[in-house]
Amino acid sequence: MKKWTIRDVMTTDAVAVPEDASYRTVVDLLAERRISAVPVLDPTERVVGVVSEADLLYKVEFAGTAAEHRRFPNRRRPEREKGEGRTARELMSAPAVTTGPDTPLPAAARLMAEKGVKRLPVVADDGTLVGIVSRADVLKVHLRPDPELRRDIEDEVLRRTLWLEPYEVQVEVDSGVVTLRGNLDRRTLAELTVRMVGAVPGVVAVHDHLSFDLDDAELARSRWGRSHPFSTTDPST
């Protein structure tokens, strides 16, 4: 089964600016490309920071507040310094939050959520820029067509991984929501099937209508209770 990574969804024609790019150059680039942030590169083409719309807005926020700055020089100093910045080096947020092209999509989504960023520069092992991935790019996996999802589930999960026959599990997919029906010999196999189908990239939810003949999970717990040295179960009962 294909494991989707950043490489599968990232934009490879990423734009960036050098550290000495002017404020106006950055503003014009964001407007022209309709993007909300741009990576900043050092002379060796490595990503050293990111300038976002939020960074640029400090110049608007603090315009005309020189007198207040003199009275309260330490109030919001980092933001004020960005408001006075003229180059990408002075405006950028650093260090940049980046990811690699082989990062799994769930890991990238968690990173974006934890850091509160909308896009990530994608860098090679040497730190050079190879692409950009946005929240919208990460969500592309959920745009996979239902027939494609069904093929992945039936061929990669049920047949090749779990070795199930076609008649044992019936698969329906509607807008990424998977419904499983059928009868399997063991409860643990049924639960494993649901977990593995839920992990297929693009699956939104799994409706489990599988039945089973043997509750081997309960049987295992019962045997553990009778045989474990710390069990309080009376073997004679």
Coordinates of all heavy atoms in Angstrom, one line a residue, residues 139-183:
L139 N -4.2 18.2 2.6 CA -5.5 17.7 2.5 C -5.8 17.0 1.1 O -6.9 16.4 1.0 CB -6.5 18.8 2.7 CG -6.6 19.4 4.1 CD1 -7.5 20.6 4.2 CD2 -7.0 18.3 5.1
K140 N -4.9 17.1 0.2 CA -5.2 16.5 -1.1 C -5.4 15.0 -1.1 O -6.1 14.5 -1.9 CB -4.0 16.8 -2.1 CG -3.9 18.2 -2.6 CD -2.7 18.4 -3.5 CE -2.5 19.8 -4.0 NZ -1.3 20.0 -4.8
V141 N -4.8 14.4 0.0 CA -5.0 13.0 0.1 C -6.5 12.6 0.3 O -6.9 11.5 -0.1 CB -4.2 12.4 1.3 CG1 -4.7 13.0 2.6 CG2 -4.1 10.9 1.3
H142 N -7.3 13.5 0.8 CA -8.7 13.2 1.0 C -9.5 13.6 -0.2 O -10.7 13.5 -0.2 CB -9.2 14.0 2.2 CG -8.7 13.5 3.5 ND1 -9.0 12.2 3.9 CD2 -7.9 14.0 4.5 CE1 -8.4 12.0 5.1 NE2 -7.7 13.1 5.4
L143 N -8.8 13.9 -1.3 CA -9.5 14.1 -2.6 C -9.4 12.9 -3.5 O -9.8 13.0 -4.6 CB -9.0 15.4 -3.3 CG -9.1 16.7 -2.6 CD1 -8.5 17.8 -3.3 CD2 -10.6 17.0 -2.3
R144 N -8.8 11.9 -3.0 CA -8.7 10.7 -3.8 C -10.0 10.1 -4.2 O -10.9 10.0 -3.3 CB -7.9 9.6 -3.1 CG -6.5 10.0 -2.7 CD -5.8 8.9 -1.9 NE -5.5 7.7 -2.8 CZ -5.2 6.5 -2.3 NH1 -5.1 6.3 -1.0 NH2 -5.0 5.5 -3.2
P145 N -10.2 9.7 -5.4 CA -11.5 9.2 -5.9 C -11.9 7.9 -5.1 O -11.0 7.1 -4.7 CB -11.3 8.9 -7.4 CG -10.1 9.7 -7.7 CD -9.3 9.8 -6.5
D146 N -13.2 7.7 -4.9 CA -13.7 6.5 -4.2 C -13.2 5.2 -4.8 O -12.8 4.3 -4.1 CB -15.2 6.6 -4.0 CG -15.7 7.7 -3.1 OD1 -14.9 8.1 -2.3 OD2 -16.9 8.0 -3.1
P147 N -13.3 5.1 -6.2 CA -12.9 3.8 -6.8 C -11.4 3.5 -6.5 O -11.0 2.4 -6.3 CB -13.1 4.1 -8.3 CG -14.2 5.1 -8.3 CD -13.9 6.0 -7.2
E148 N -10.5 4.6 -6.4 CA -9.1 4.4 -6.1 C -8.9 3.9 -4.7 O -8.1 3.0 -4.4 CB -8.4 5.7 -6.4 CG -6.9 5.6 -6.1 CD -6.2 7.0 -6.4 OE1 -6.5 7.6 -7.4 OE2 -5.3 7.4 -5.5
L149 N -9.7 4.5 -3.8 CA -9.6 4.0 -2.4 C -10.1 2.6 -2.3 O -9.4 1.8 -1.6 CB -10.5 4.9 -1.5 CG -10.0 6.3 -1.2 CD1 -11.0 7.1 -0.4 CD2 -8.7 6.2 -0.3
R150 N -11.1 2.3 -2.9 CA -11.6 0.9 -2.9 C -10.6 -0.1 -3.4 O -10.4 -1.2 -2.8 CB -13.0 0.8 -3.6 CG -13.6 -0.6 -3.5 CD -14.9 -0.7 -4.2 NE -15.4 -2.1 -4.2 CZ -16.6 -2.4 -4.7 NH1 -17.4 -1.5 -5.2 NH2 -17.0 -3.7 -4.6
R151 N -9.9 0.2 -4.5 CA -8.9 -0.7 -5.0 C -7.8 -0.8 -4.0 O -7.3 -2.0 -3.8 CB -8.4 -0.1 -6.4 CG -9.3 -0.3 -7.5 CD -8.6 -0.1 -8.8 NE -8.0 1.3 -8.9 CZ -8.7 2.3 -9.4 NH1 -9.9 2.2 -9.8 NH2 -8.1 3.5 -9.5
D152 N -7.3 0.3 -3.4 CA -6.3 0.2 -2.4 C -6.7 -0.8 -1.3 O -5.9 -1.6 -0.8 CB -6.0 1.6 -1.9 CG -4.7 2.1 -2.5 OD1 -4.2 1.5 -3.5 OD2 -4.2 3.2 -2.0
I153 N -7.9 -0.6 -0.8 CA -8.4 -1.4 0.4 C -8.5 -2.9 0.0 O -8.0 -3.7 0.7 CB -9.7 -0.9 0.8 CG1 -9.6 0.5 1.4 CG2 -10.4 -1.8 1.9 CD1 -10.9 1.3 1.7
E154 N -9.1 -3.1 -1.2 CA -9.3 -4.5 -1.6 C -8.0 -5.2 -1.9 O -7.7 -6.4 -1.5 CB -10.3 -4.6 -2.7 CG -11.7 -4.2 -2.3 CD -12.7 -4.2 -3.5 OE1 -12.2 -4.2 -4.6 OE2 -13.9 -4.4 -3.2
D155 N -7.2 -4.5 -2.7 CA -6.0 -5.2 -3.2 C -4.8 -5.2 -2.2 O -4.2 -6.2 -2.0 CB -5.5 -4.5 -4.5 CG -6.5 -4.6 -5.6 OD1 -7.3 -5.5 -5.6 OD2 -6.4 -3.8 -6.6
E156 N -4.5 -4.0 -1.6 CA -3.4 -3.9 -0.8 C -3.6 -4.4 0.7 O -2.8 -5.0 1.3 CB -2.9 -2.5 -0.7 CG -2.5 -1.9 -2.1 CD -1.4 -2.7 -2.8 OE1 -0.5 -3.2 -2.0 OE2 -1.4 -2.8 -4.0
V157 N -4.8 -4.0 1.2 CA -5.1 -4.4 2.6 C -5.6 -5.8 2.7 O -5.1 -6.7 3.4 CB -6.0 -3.4 3.3 CG1 -6.3 -3.8 4.7 CG2 -5.4 -2.0 3.3
L158 N -6.8 -6.0 2.1 CA -7.5 -7.3 2.3 C -6.8 -8.5 1.6 O -6.6 -9.5 2.2 CB -8.9 -7.2 1.7 CG -9.8 -6.0 2.4 CD1 -11.2 -6.1 1.8 CD2 -9.8 -6.2 3.9
R159 N -6.3 -8.3 0.4 CA -5.8 -9.4 -0.3 C -4.3 -9.7 0.0 O -3.9 -10.7 0.5 CB -5.9 -9.2 -1.9 CG -7.2 -8.8 -2.3 CD -8.3 -9.9 -2.2 NE -9.6 -9.4 -2.7 CZ -10.6 -9.0 -2.0 NH1 -10.4 -9.0 -0.7 NH2 -11.7 -8.5 -2.5
R160 N -3.5 -8.6 -0.2 CA -2.0 -8.8 -0.1 C -1.5 -8.8 1.4 O -0.5 -9.5 1.7 CB -1.3 -7.8 -0.9 CG -1.6 -7.8 -2.4 CD -0.8 -6.8 -3.2 NE -1.2 -6.8 -4.6 CZ -0.7 -5.9 -5.5 NH1 0.2 -5.0 -5.1 NH2 -1.0 -6.0 -6.7
T161 N -2.1 -8.1 2.2 CA -1.7 -8.0 3.6 C -2.4 -9.0 4.5 O -1.7 -9.7 5.3 CB -1.9 -6.6 4.1 OG1 -1.2 -5.6 3.3 CG2 -1.3 -6.4 5.6
L162 N -3.7 -9.0 4.5 CA -4.4 -9.9 5.4 C -4.8 -11.3 4.7 O -5.3 -12.1 5.4 CB -5.7 -9.2 5.8 CG -5.5 -7.9 6.6 CD1 -6.8 -7.2 6.9 CD2 -4.7 -8.2 7.9
W163 N -4.6 -11.4 3.5 CA -4.8 -12.7 2.8 C -6.3 -13.1 2.9 O -6.6 -14.3 3.1 CB -3.9 -13.8 3.3 CG -2.5 -13.6 2.9 CD1 -1.9 -12.5 2.5 CD2 -1.4 -14.6 3.0 NE1 -0.5 -12.7 2.2 CE2 -0.2 -14.0 2.6 CE3 -1.4 -15.9 3.4 CZ2 1.0 -14.6 2.6 CZ3 -0.1 -16.6 3.4 CH2 1.0 -15.9 3.0
L164 N -7.2 -12.2 2.7 CA -8.6 -12.5 2.8 C -9.1 -12.7 1.4 O -8.7 -12.1 0.4 CB -9.4 -11.4 3.5 CG -9.0 -11.1 4.9 CD1 -9.7 -9.9 5.4 CD2 -9.4 -12.3 5.8
E165 N -10.1 -13.6 1.3 CA -10.8 -13.9 0.0 C -11.8 -12.8 -0.3 O -12.3 -12.2 0.7 CB -11.5 -15.2 0.1 CG -10.5 -16.4 0.3 CD -9.6 -16.6 -0.9 OE1 -9.9 -16.2 -2.0 OE2 -8.5 -17.2 -0.7
P166 N -12.0 -12.5 -1.6 CA -13.0 -11.4 -1.9 C -14.3 -11.6 -1.3 O -15.0 -10.5 -1.0 CB -13.0 -11.5 -3.5 CG -11.8 -12.2 -3.9 CD -11.4 -13.1 -2.7
Y167 N -14.8 -12.8 -1.1 CA -16.2 -12.9 -0.5 C -16.2 -12.7 1.0 O -17.3 -12.5 1.5 CB -16.7 -14.4 -0.8 CG -15.9 -15.5 -0.2 CD1 -16.1 -15.8 1.1 CD2 -14.9 -16.1 -0.9 CE1 -15.4 -16.9 1.7 CE2 -14.2 -17.1 -0.3 CZ -14.4 -17.5 1.0 OH -13.7 -18.5 1.6
E168 N -15.1 -12.6 1.6 CA -15.1 -12.5 3.1 C -15.4 -11.1 3.6 O -16.1 -11.0 4.6 CB -13.7 -13.0 3.7 CG -13.5 -14.5 3.5 CD -12.1 -14.9 4.1 OE1 -11.1 -14.7 3.5 OE2 -12.2 -15.4 5.3
V169 N -15.0 -10.1 2.9 CA -15.2 -8.7 3.3 C -15.7 -7.9 2.0 O -15.0 -7.9 1.0 CB -14.0 -8.1 3.9 CG1 -14.3 -6.6 4.2 CG2 -13.5 -8.8 5.1
Q170 N -16.9 -7.3 2.2 CA -17.4 -6.4 1.1 C -17.1 -5.0 1.5 O -17.3 -4.6 2.6 CB -18.9 -6.6 0.9 CG -19.3 -8.0 0.4 CD -19.2 -9.1 1.5 OE1 -19.9 -8.9 2.5 NE2 -18.5 -10.2 1.3
V171 N -16.6 -4.2 0.5 CA -16.2 -2.9 0.7 C -17.0 -1.9 -0.1 O -17.2 -2.1 -1.3 CB -14.7 -2.7 0.3 CG1 -14.2 -1.3 0.5 CG2 -13.8 -3.7 1.0
E172 N -17.5 -0.9 0.6 CA -18.3 0.2 0.0 C -17.6 1.5 0.4 O -17.2 1.7 1.5 CB -19.7 0.3 0.4 CG -20.5 -1.0 0.1 CD -21.9 -1.0 0.7 OE1 -22.3 0.1 1.2 OE2 -22.6 -2.0 0.7
V173 N -17.4 2.4 -0.6 CA -16.8 3.7 -0.3 C -17.6 4.8 -0.9 O -18.0 4.8 -2.0 CB -15.4 3.8 -0.9 CG1 -14.7 5.1 -0.5 CG2 -14.5 2.6 -0.5
D174 N -18.0 5.8 0.0 CA -18.8 6.9 -0.4 C -18.2 8.2 0.2 O -18.2 8.4 1.4 CB -20.2 6.7 0.1 CG -21.1 7.9 -0.3 OD1 -20.7 8.7 -1.2 OD2 -22.3 7.9 0.1
S175 N -17.6 9.0 -0.7 CA -16.9 10.3 -0.2 C -15.9 10.0 0.8 O -15.7 10.8 1.8 CB -18.0 11.3 0.3 OG -18.9 11.6 -0.7
G176 N -15.1 9.0 0.6 CA -14.0 8.6 1.6 C -14.4 7.8 2.8 O -13.6 7.4 3.5
V177 N -15.8 7.7 3.0 CA -16.2 6.9 4.1 C -16.4 5.5 3.7 O -17.1 5.2 2.8 CB -17.6 7.5 4.7 CG1 -18.1 6.6 5.8 CG2 -17.4 8.9 5.1
V178 N -15.7 4.5 4.4 CA -15.7 3.1 4.0 C -16.7 2.3 4.9 O -16.7 2.5 6.2 CB -14.3 2.6 4.2 CG1 -14.2 1.1 3.8 CG2 -13.3 3.4 3.3
T179 N -17.4 1.5 4.3 CA -18.3 0.5 5.0 C -17.8 -0.9 4.8 O -17.7 -1.3 3.6 CB -19.8 0.7 4.6 OG1 -20.2 2.0 4.9 CG2 -20.7 -0.3 5.4
L180 N -17.6 -1.6 5.8 CA -17.1 -3.0 5.7 C -18.2 -4.0 6.2 O -18.7 -3.8 7.3 CB -15.8 -3.2 6.6 CG -14.6 -2.3 6.2 CD1 -13.5 -2.6 7.2 CD2 -14.1 -2.6 4.8
R181 N -18.5 -5.0 5.4 CA -19.4 -6.0 5.8 C -18.8 -7.3 5.5 O -18.1 -7.5 4.5 CB -20.8 -5.8 5.0 CG -21.5 -4.6 5.3 CD -22.9 -4.6 4.6 NE -23.7 -3.5 5.1 CZ -23.7 -2.2 4.6 NH1 -22.9 -1.9 3.6 NH2 -24.5 -1.3 5.1
G182 N -19.2 -8.3 6.3 CA -18.7 -9.7 6.1 C -18.6 -10.4 7.4 O -18.9 -9.9 8.5
N183 N -18.1 -11.6 7.3 CA -17.9 -12.5 8.5 C -16.5 -13.1 8.5 O -16.1 -13.7 7.5 CB -19.0 -13.6 8.6 CG -18.8 -14.4 9.8 OD1 -18.2 -15.5 9.8 ND2 -19.3 -14.0 10.9

